[in-house]
Amino acid sequence: MSRSARAAVSALLFSTALVFSSPAVQAESFGLGRLATPEEIAAWDIDVRPDGQGLPEGRGGVMTGEEIYQERCASCHGEFGEGSGRWPVLAGGEDTLDTEDPVKTIGSYWPYLSTVFDYVNRAMPFGDAQSLTPDETYAVVAYILYLNDIVEDEEFELSKENFTTVRLPNEVNFIEDARPDTAKVEQAEPCMSDCKAEVEITARARIIDVTPDEDAAD
């Protein structure tokens, strides 16, 4: 093949490659992607915020929550939220956060009730996530509040209407990030007395294996 012929073939191949590398042609050729439907977006848009935004309609009481909890949750978290084996403890731990062995539960550590609801709603029960109805989720969260003595009336009913009136004990100890490169910098000085001079890593979760084994849950 002559030099001029080879040049013509090369130019043709190059121009063809440019055409088929354009996003429009790729999408048309391979059928990649489409707009999400409103139903698909709604299925993912289930997060709940501290101000109550995202809460579904519904209600559930402590006693109903106890029944659901014993059936769906107690095998891992214990009958009274004490944890079974190495599964997370949900209740107790008051006044332990400043000790060498803090017990971080919903009653002792978590800042917002919305975090509890959101986690139960999205991820629980383990292995059967999002199987609870909104009413069942409200009921389970109400029972967890009862286990932590945050509500003391066994007739208490949690709902979308009264959700934001419930405050967790440790909320006041969570402060906004006051570093100068953040949007909100007006923040009272946090307590920094008796702090360690340096923070060092003493162990890694991967090494100490903090994930419960299936056998441990039996």
Side-chain angles (χ1 to χ4, degrees):
M1 182 182 293
S2 66
R3 181 179 302 176
S4 59
R6 286 198 299 268
V9 170
S10 298
L12 176 62
L13 292 175
F14 180 73
S15 61
T16 302
L18 286 178
V19 170
F20 283 97
S21 65
S22 68
V25 172
Q26 284 184 352
E28 182 179 351
S29 300
F30 298 103
L32 298 177
R34 63 171 174 78
L35 292 176
T37 66
E39 292 76 15
E40 290 170 333
I41 294 174
W44 282 94
D45 187 18
I46 61 173
D47 63 302
V48 177
R49 305 180 186 181
D51 62 359
Q53 183 174 342
L55 281 169
E57 297 292 340
R59 59 184 60 248
V62 170
M63 302 309 295
T64 301
E66 180 180 17
E67 295 178 5
I68 300 169
Y69 178 93
Q70 297 303 328
E71 179 181 349
R72 308 292 303 277
C73 314
S75 60
C76 292
H77 296 292
E79 293 187 10
F80 302 101
E82 74 278 12
S84 177
R86 295 168 64 187
W87 294 98
V89 180
L90 300 183
E94 295 84 355
D95 302 321
T96 67
L97 297 185
D98 59 353
T99 68
E100 293 185 359
D101 187 23
V103 180
K104 296 182 178 181
T105 73
I106 291 165
S108 69
Y109 177 72
W110 290 35
Y112 306 115
L113 185 59
S114 58
T115 310
V116 184
F117 188 98
D118 183 66
Y119 194 85
V120 173
N121 188 41
R122 287 186 298 105
M124 294 289 112
F126 182 73
D128 196 16
Q130 298 184 32
S131 62
L132 298 176
T133 67
D135 285 349
E136 290 173 330
T137 303
Y138 277 110
V140 168
V141 173
Y143 181 63
I144 293 173
L145 292 173
Y146 184 75
L147 287 178
N148 283 279
D149 296 323
I150 297 173
V151 299
E152 299 180 356
D153 184 1
E154 63 182 22
E155 300 298 323
F156 173 78
E157 185 179 68
L158 183 66
S159 67
K160 182 178 181 179
E161 287 68 36
N162 68 356
F163 190 91
T164 57
T165 65
V166 180
R167 315 307 285 262
L168 300 190
N170 198 44
E171 177 183 344
V172 296
N173 292 318
F174 279 77
I175 61 175
E176 295 181 359
D177 191 336
R179 289 176 295 181
D181 57 344
T182 59
K184 297 180 180 180
V185 297
E186 295 182 5
Q187 175 67 51
E189 289 294 326
C191 176
M192 301 296 288
S193 61
D194 301 322
C195 296
K196 293 182 178 180
E198 296 181 356
V199 177
E200 59 183 74
I201 299 174
T202 59
R204 297 183 183 276
R206 177 175 56 82
I207 297 174
I208 63 177
D209 188 20
V210 298
T211 303
D213 297 325
E214 291 185 3
D215 295 340
D218 295 337

